[in-house]
Amino acid sequence: MSSEPKTQHLTIFLAQEIVADIAMLVKDGSYTKHIELSLPKLGLAHLYIKIGARVSPPWVSIFDGIVSPDDVGKSNGISAVLIVRTSGRLFALTFGQGGRFLISESSIESRFGLIVTLNSVNSESLRCIDKQSLDNLESQSRIQSAYETTPDQFGIDIEQDMLKAIVGSPVQSSLGSRMTGTDSLSVSVKATVHNLKDLLDAYLTKFQIDLSKKGYEWVNNISNIKQSSSIIGALEQQLDTKLKTKDFSNIWLSIPEIIPWEMVKGFVFTHGRKLIHPDITMDGFLTTVKDKNIDIELLKQRKVSCADENHKNIFRTWPVYRCLYAEIDYDGSTYVLNDGKWFRIEPDFVKKTNIAYAQIPMSKLTLPVYQHNAEGEYNQDVAHQHPTKYALLDDKQKVFHGGGKGQVEICDLFGLDKNLIHIKRYGKSSVLSHLFSQGFVSGQLLQLDTEFRAKMKDKLPPSFKSLINVGARPLEKEFTVTFAVISEDQGMDLHLPFFSRVNINNTYRILKGYGYKVELLKILVDPTYAKTKKYPPEKVKKK
């Protein structure tokens, strides 16, 4: 009679459906040994082993001069990958710390483990999630719970968060006692070679279940495309074709991060250093390329730098490619290039986002055209020109508020018609998210916090103070929150990057719930100012 199987800790990858040949899955020359095996129910399998050099453990260095490394001994680092085929698909089971490096990342199925885990665990028994926020694509976080709980307890925003990994307990004990799902499936399960086929077939079945059946359809809204993915080549080819033919529809350059405008007076491109551009635009870049073909490689080679009024490089220099934003329709899906990374957007989510964005009203305010070196200068100028209409409450008028006495910017301009106007120069999603966050935070505090209302009132000029009732919350639609974007783009339509459209939709919905009217405004740039400024070459002192 066979004994009870031992619990094994398995890490499992699923090869993409187009990967039919094992040679496409295992990196050539990455292994030391190759052993062909015949496994029960699975038949022919392949075990690839890599034996590392004999080394002392890293902790031995603490005993330098006291214990000889030879007395401690040395060991080989051994890693392996087992390749098996079942139900017409190839699986790779990796062992040891280096096992995953034996397989080709571009050949594995993206989010296999994540989908299997979502379809296997009890939705009320989650212990840990990794998420990436759309309002700042550099923002990734891991949240752990001391006890098993539900997804909403982790603060997942289904409109703005990408789920990257999840940990939970399977409903069926035969699938394991604990699962971690990312691209790979890591699972603690009672396993032997005799039940391996049944396990893999069960995991494949879970992978093929539509996520909407468990209410997880939002997980497919957006997904990060790995740099190693085969789709990247096809997308870059599409993008290159548009660049070479100068078809810049849904393609533009913009500032990739928040910058100190009080220091930065413009931007200079390599091979165009006599010109300072007031903003990062495709037209500005085109002045530096002459007769060259524009392609991705050129954008990666060329740089753009922040410049001061003396034409000196300050603050940041970026590859032009990092400033590139593109939306590409390919093979029935929409793909977005943002900050050098590609994302696949589910078509229905694109449609839903665009419909919601179109419903946000455009403001009927008429603010002066922009012909300034910084947002602060513009705000100050508007308030100076119209002192009975607008109060200046921008960055220099921040209030200290909250337990940690953090600084809160109320708005940039406060209108006599109770309009909180937040102003930002056009930029990528991470830049505009700062604008929307500013409006959300101040709007929430104004509605809910008596102390904040008192501090706001103290900051206002005498003729504006009566607009704030410290002792009472604002009435429904009493105040308006206006998000104003300074843009060189011609026309009155305000085109925002996809992730910014998702972000503003979410902010709009929340602020409306607080009782605000919420509007968008495009501030035009003076055509004369938008032209580049020419400077003589810098003089080099002779030594």
Side-chain angles (χ1 to χ4, degrees), residues 350-369:
V350 174
K351 182 178 179 180
K352 175 185 173 184
T353 298
N354 290 341
I355 290 173
Y357 178 66
Q359 292 173 348
I360 302 175
M362 294 298 295
S363 174
K364 293 180 181 177
L365 278 178
T366 302
L367 289 179
V369 296

Side-chain angles (χ1 to χ4, degrees), residues 8-265:
Q8 304 287 343
H9 301 285
L10 302 180
T11 300
I12 306 167
F13 294 85
L14 175 65
Q16 293 179 27
E17 216 162 355
I18 59 172
V19 178
D21 188 353
I22 291 174
M24 297 171 62
L25 186 56
V26 179
K27 289 180 182 177
D28 190 34
S30 64
Y31 52 90
T32 309
K33 289 183 180 181
H34 172 208
I35 303 172
E36 291 188 354
L37 307 171
S38 179
L39 300 181
K41 300 182 183 179
L42 288 167
L44 182 63
H46 299 263
L47 181 64
Y48 296 87
I49 302 171
K50 181 177 179 60
I51 302 174
R54 290 181 63 80
V55 294
S56 299
W59 50 263
V60 76
S61 60
I62 197 173
F63 299 108
D64 280 353
I66 300 174
V67 177
S68 168
D70 292 335
D71 291 336
V72 174
K74 298 182 178 182
S75 62
N76 293 105
I78 300 177
S79 52
V81 57
L82 175 67
I83 308 295
V84 299
R85 191 189 304 273
T86 179
S87 299
R89 300 292 295 269
L90 284 173
F91 286 84
L93 286 74
T94 61
F95 305 93
Q97 292 186 351
R100 67 172 300 146
F101 300 111
L102 303 181
I103 57 176
S104 171
E105 195 177 63
S106 62
S107 298
I108 62 174
E109 192 76 62
S110 177
R111 304 193 307 159
F112 162 68
L114 177 64
I115 294 172
V116 170
T117 303
L118 285 170
N119 282 324
S120 300
V121 303
N122 187 326
S123 61
E124 297 182 353
S125 68
L126 305 183
R127 293 297 299 269
C128 177
I129 67 159
D130 289 2
K131 66 176 183 176
Q132 182 171 353
S133 178
L134 296 187
D135 65 356
N136 182 352
L137 290 168
E138 299 299 318
S139 171
Q140 299 191 47
S141 57
R142 171 167 294 173
I143 306 171
Q144 300 186 78
S145 173
Y147 51 87
E148 295 182 339
T149 188
T150 57
D152 58 295
Q153 296 300 307
F154 289 96
I156 298 175
D157 184 333
I158 65 174
E159 291 286 338
Q160 296 200 103
D161 291 335
M162 277 189 296
L163 193 60
K164 307 285 286 184
I166 193 165
V167 178
S169 302
V171 175
Q172 297 172 248
S173 60
S174 60
L175 296 178
S177 57
R178 178 66 58 84
M179 277 183 173
T180 301
T182 54
D183 286 339
S184 64
L185 174 66
S186 296
V187 58
S188 297
V189 62
K190 293 180 178 180
T192 70
V193 291
H194 296 281
N195 71 343
L196 189 55
K197 174 179 169 54
D198 296 334
L199 278 173
L200 296 178
D201 286 343
Y203 297 144
L204 182 60
T205 298
K206 293 293 185 182
F207 176 68
Q208 293 168 337
I209 295 174
D210 187 343
L211 286 175
S212 64
K213 292 184 177 180
K214 293 197 69 177
Y216 291 126
E217 62 272 14
W218 58 271
V219 173
N220 288 325
N221 282 346
I222 182 166
S223 55
N224 188 197
I225 308 296
K226 291 195 170 203
Q227 291 297 323
S228 58
S229 174
S230 57
I231 193 68
I232 295 291
L235 294 173
E236 290 188 340
Q237 188 174 12
Q238 293 278 320
L239 180 56
D240 264 341
T241 299
K242 288 174 74 73
L243 291 172
K244 288 173 182 175
T245 58
K246 293 184 170 57
D247 173 11
F248 299 128
S249 55
N250 290 325
I251 297 175
W252 58 86
L253 298 179
S254 58
I255 300 163
E257 58 184 287
I258 297 169
I259 63 173
W261 283 104
E262 68 278 5
M263 296 168 52
V264 176
K265 302 306 177 186

Side-chain angles (χ1 to χ4, degrees), residues 275-306:
L275 300 176
I276 289 186
H277 303 260
D279 213 336
I280 299 176
T281 64
M282 189 63 75
D283 285 342
F285 177 65
L286 290 176
T287 64
T288 72
V289 297
K290 296 181 180 179
D291 298 326
K292 281 182 175 288
N293 280 332
I294 304 173
D295 57 19
I296 292 173
E297 195 55 42
L298 181 68
L299 294 176
K300 289 180 177 179
Q301 292 172 1
R302 296 289 182 91
K303 302 276 196 289
V304 59
S305 302
C306 299

